[in-house]
Amino acid sequence: MVESTEQYSVALIGSSGGGTATLGHTNPIELLNTVHKELCHLHCDEDGKVCAGLSHAIFVSICDGSGFDSLKKDDWLPGKNKSDVAADPIAKLYSVGFHKKNPDSEDQEATGRLNVQAIKGPLSEINTEAKRLDAKLSKILRNNHALISVSSEPTIIHADSLRSCSELSIPVTGSGGTSISQIAELYGLPIIGAQGSVASTTHTKARGWAMGLAREWGMTYDPKHNDQDGSCVDSTSEVGVGQETTPLPSLKSILEAALPSFLFVCIVLRFFGGSAGDNRSSLIAEIEYSLRYFVPGTTCSILAATSRQSSSTSQSSQDQSTILLSSALAGILVSASASQLNDNSNEGGSALAGLIAGASIPLALSTVSNLCVKYHMTATMTNIICGGGVGIMVGMIMHLSSAAYILSICTGWVRCIIRFRRITTPETNGRLIANVFVYLQKMWYDFASRPSMSKFVYAQDLQLNEFLPIPRGLGFGFGCIFVYGSKIGWYHSIFLPLIMLEMDSSTGQNAASLLGAIDECTLVMVCAGICAGNLLLPHRIGGSTSLSWQALKTNILCGDFIEACYPSMEKSRLINIAAYLAAGISTEVIVRQRLLSSAYIPLPLSILISSDRWGMIVASSFAFGISFVGTIMANTIGSIRKKSDDKGKE
């Protein structure tokens, strides 16, 4: 038995970021405590190694729950000349390990509760304080430490601690693709077990980081370790913060959280779905109908209800079961109402109706519960009314008011606009608004049908085709916009929600998304090509290629981690041009062939679910090949210039 114990500890730096500003990250206390709990599961009995959890933390969060994507970097970084500090958004700095302990903090830490301190103020001032604490952290870090970066700012705010990690070869893990890529590029640090942010939760991230560090330190990740004696319990109690209402996640971010269910429904419907006229058994048709309409709406309803409820108050398990029951009932009802638009001539979907129904559940439950208390209802009757009656009430209100049906029509319009399909006017509800779209489409159709415009429009039978003509070059321009938008925060705020709505309630060859195919080619495959070029011919002799190799595997096998190529694009104008060129040409192919597919899945599966597999292969090849060749050329030119500069110095 090992007598001496070697303790390891972890420091956490970062912010609520852009895509990570939802699903748990609106509650920084929950994030820190969850990470601390998962790290406490690491141990090695043979060598006497244990992990003591989080020893230090520096975490910045905007108080209104929004992300940093919408903010200009120069407006909030410390050290920038800024006259109007009052215009800054209000933020909070949560820190661990930098302040004197409160009298009862030892008892709290004994039960796994971190001694979290918080200060509140304008974002620029908060970041100045974060930089000061980061300078302290850089002097504290030792060889038995590790660092977790959660959408951190590596160039100014956390430069000191990251520089220390580089000098001491301290392992680094974390999330936030852009931030992680910059850390690997600027400081030459290998990234261990980095996690994505889309559709992930605090718990899944924390467990991934813990398992990555376990492999790095030669320890074992054992969920039962430290749980039996209660030394690391999951607690959201904090010191120096006080009870407060956590900002509500937006409906847009909740929709993105439903991505896993949407993807698997898309895959199943692509291979087993079909049109209503197919000769299939009634069982298969019923399964397809349920997957197509009930799963998206019900999933969104449950996510909206639980996310918005858990952000405001901490509920008991009974409250959680009540809200799950109510949101499921409401989701099923509104999905059934939205599925009225289920013929081949009209487009529809149930996700928007599910989101609205789920978001209404917490308020309805609170109101009805208070009324039950006021009129002295028994606990059993209160639970029956809240668990069953509230869900039915919300669903019926949306059905009788035609809200679910109208939202379904709106989803169909969004899909038609994205795919340049003709909008059909339903026989009931929404005719006035639909007629506006139909009139605009007719104007475009008449304009494109002119003989003088024929050379600018793809060759097709304009009289009989259900699709609208698309001018040449539109796909190229949109591909470039997709790359640019992903760099400035449009992906999570615009592109991904539209991809989800386009996939909602589609089936057969139309089950995937045109924007999803553009996502796969312009971001995933372009990044894969750049990373492959950096692996074959690194732009820096002796530089670490671990990030490029990890990003290449992740993009090809998981369809994610697109931010890994951004440092290379920023350093080389030629790589940047090649990336935009690859995105433009591949998107032009996608738009010309009207290809449907999706990212976030392995490349072979992305091709299999495509509406035109050979077309998807061609588009992916253009995206990968052009970016790959551009990277090789840029790195070759850079290597030649470096050699000539070295000779000149001699």
Side-chain angles (χ1 to χ4, degrees):
M1 182 177 179
V2 179
E3 296 181 357
S4 61
T5 300
E6 184 180 1
Q7 276 201 348
Y8 289 73
S9 58
V10 180
L12 184 146
I13 61 174
S15 69
S16 55
T20 58
T22 57
L23 298 180
H25 286 74
T26 52
N27 191 337
I29 305 300
E30 179 188 350
L31 169 66
L32 296 177
N33 278 283
T34 302
V35 172
H36 178 65
K37 174 191 173 185
E38 293 299 321
L39 292 172
C40 286
H41 295 326
L42 305 185
H43 70 104
C44 180
D45 295 334
E46 295 179 0
D47 299 333
K49 297 178 182 178
V50 296
C51 181
L54 278 181
S55 61
H56 297 82
I58 306 169
F59 191 86
V60 177
S61 177
I62 300 179
C63 289
D64 63 3
S66 61
F68 284 80
D69 284 345
S70 59
L71 301 177
K72 293 183 179 179
K73 195 173 183 180
D74 292 342
D75 290 344
W76 52 266
L77 281 179
K80 301 291 183 181
N81 295 324
K82 185 168 181 179
S83 57
D84 189 9
V85 177
D88 280 354
I90 301 300
K92 267 195 172 183
L93 170 62
Y94 299 84
S95 60
V96 174
F98 296 98
H99 305 278
K100 293 181 180 180
K101 297 181 180 179
N102 289 337
D104 57 349
S105 63
E106 293 183 2
D107 294 336
Q108 292 172 340
E109 289 176 355
T111 58
R113 298 177 181 178
L114 290 174
N115 179 26
V116 181
Q117 301 289 331
I119 60 173
K120 186 176 181 179
L123 182 57
S124 57
E125 294 181 0
I126 289 295
N127 280 332
T128 300
E129 176 64 13
K131 178 171 172 56
R132 186 185 71 81
L133 293 181
D134 190 77
K136 278 188 176 183
L137 179 62
S138 66
K139 300 175 183 178
I140 297 172
L141 292 172
R142 296 292 182 268
N143 289 326
N144 63 336
H145 276 85
L147 187 72
I148 296 176
S149 167
V150 185
S151 298
S152 65
E153 199 294 307
T155 60
I156 297 177
I157 297 177
H158 298 293
D160 293 333
S161 61
L162 290 169
R163 198 175 295 114
S164 295
C165 290
S166 179
E167 294 170 356
L168 298 172
S169 299
I170 292 175
V172 177
T173 185
S175 67
T178 303
S179 172
I180 289 294
S181 302
Q182 288 180 331
I183 290 172
E185 179 72 19
L186 295 173
Y187 302 98
L189 287 166
I191 307 301
I192 300 160
Q195 305 292 310
S197 61
V198 175
S200 58
T201 64
T202 298
H203 185 262
T204 56
K205 287 191 182 76
R207 176 167 288 189
W209 299 333
M211 294 178 71
L213 291 176
R215 289 191 294 269
E216 178 69 16
W217 284 336
M219 296 186 187
T220 301
Y221 173 81
D222 183 6
K224 296 181 180 179
H225 181 68
N226 273 342
D227 267 0
Q228 295 177 351
D229 58 2
S231 58
C232 272
V233 297
D234 191 8
S235 170
T236 57
S237 297
E238 64 271 11
V239 178
V241 178
Q243 297 299 323
E244 61 183 33
T245 300
T246 309
L248 295 176
S250 64
L251 293 179
K252 176 182 60 182
S253 65
I254 296 170
L255 178 63
E256 294 178 10
L259 178 64
S261 65
F262 274 62
L263 279 177
F264 275 93
V265 168
C266 166
I267 293 169
V268 172
L269 291 179
R270 171 61 181 89
F271 295 113
F272 298 102
S275 62
D278 291 345
N279 294 322
R280 296 171 298 160
S281 67
S282 59
L283 176 61
I284 297 297
E286 289 173 2
I287 292 175
E288 179 202 342
Y289 188 88
S290 299
L291 287 174
R292 184 178 180 185
Y293 290 104
F294 287 89
V295 172
T298 306
T299 301
C300 289
S301 177
I302 294 173
L303 284 173
T306 55
S307 298
R308 296 176 77 85
Q309 173 250 11
S310 61
S311 294
S312 57
T313 55
S314 57
Q315 300 290 330
S316 66
S317 58
Q318 182 180 3
D319 295 328
Q320 288 288 341
S321 62
T322 300
I323 201 167
L324 283 172
L325 179 58
S326 297
S327 58
L329 288 172
I332 292 171
L333 282 177
V334 298
S335 298
S337 179
S339 67
Q340 295 176 76
L341 200 70
N342 62 348
D343 55 76
N344 294 328
S345 61
N346 293 303
E347 298 276 352
S350 59
L352 285 179
L355 283 176
I356 301 301
S360 306
I361 288 292
L363 178 60
L365 274 177
S366 177
T367 303
V368 172
S369 178
N370 291 336
L371 288 174
C372 289
V373 172
K374 179 180 178 180
Y375 292 103
H376 308 289
M377 295 286 185
T378 63
T380 301
M381 180 56 66
T382 300
N383 195 45
I384 291 173
I385 293 173
C386 291
V390 169
I392 298 293
M393 178 187 70
V394 171
M396 289 303 297
I397 288 174
M398 293 196 64
H399 171 68
L400 295 175
S401 65
S402 298
Y405 183 70
I406 293 173
L407 288 171
S408 176
I409 294 172
C410 292
T411 301
W413 292 345
V414 170
R415 187 183 302 119
C416 287
I417 291 171
I418 291 173
R419 297 180 181 180
F420 268 73
R421 296 184 64 172
R422 297 179 186 275
I423 290 179
T424 54
T425 309
E427 295 299 326
T428 60
N429 295 325
R431 290 186 63 90
L432 179 61
I433 302 176
N435 285 335
V436 175
F437 287 109
V438 172
Y439 177 73
L440 292 175
Q441 285 190 339
K442 185 178 184 302
M443 288 180 61
W444 169 248
Y445 172 81
D446 294 339
F447 175 74
S449 301
R450 295 177 181 176
S452 59
M453 295 296 298
S454 60
K455 62 180 180 179
F456 298 110
V457 180
Y458 299 144
Q460 56 183 309
D461 187 354
L462 298 180
Q463 300 298 325
L464 301 177
N465 205 315
E466 63 175 314
F467 295 101
L468 291 171
I470 304 176
R472 288 187 174 93
L474 182 65
F476 186 92
F478 192 72
C480 295
I481 292 174
F482 219 88
V483 174
Y484 175 75
S486 69
K487 292 183 176 182
I488 61 173
W490 290 357
Y491 185 81
H492 289 285
S493 60
I494 300 175
F495 298 149
L496 188 53
L498 287 177
I499 291 173
M500 304 283 288
L501 289 179
E502 187 188 354
M503 293 170 64
D504 179 22
S505 301
S506 296
T507 189
Q509 289 192 344
N510 296 322
S513 165
L514 185 138
L515 292 180
I518 295 174
D519 183 7
E520 174 71 13
C521 289
T522 61
L523 302 182
V524 175
M525 295 309 299
V526 167
C527 179
I530 293 174
C531 292
N534 285 331
L535 278 173
L536 186 64
L537 186 64
H539 62 85
R540 184 176 58 189
I541 299 176
S544 174
T545 58
S546 62
L547 177 67
S548 295
W549 174 238
Q550 181 179 346
L552 178 61
K553 291 189 298 182
T554 305
N555 279 287
I556 297 297
L557 299 179
C558 302
D560 198 7
F561 203 5
I562 60 167
E563 300 90 349
C565 66
Y566 290 167
S568 298
M569 292 174 65
E570 292 176 2
K571 279 194 170 185
S572 171
R573 183 175 298 177
L574 182 55
I575 294 178
N576 198 39
I577 293 173
Y580 277 96
L581 186 63
I585 293 177
S586 61
T587 305
E588 185 72 13
V589 174
I590 290 170
V591 171
R592 181 188 291 267
Q593 301 296 328
R594 303 180 193 268
L595 303 176
L596 308 179
S597 186
S598 177
Y600 299 106
I601 54 178
L603 177 62
L605 185 55
S606 180
I607 293 172
L608 280 176
I609 69 170
S610 175
S611 56
D612 182 351
R613 290 164 184 165
W614 282 110
M616 191 64 190
I617 291 174
V618 171
S620 301
S621 300
F622 274 124
F624 183 91
I626 295 173
S627 58
F628 175 78
V629 172
T631 303
I632 292 293
M633 293 175 58
N635 292 348
T636 301
I637 294 172
S639 178
I640 294 173
R641 286 180 178 175
K642 189 176 185 305
K643 289 180 180 179
S644 62
D645 292 341
D646 293 341
K647 289 182 180 179
K649 292 179 181 179
E650 294 176 358

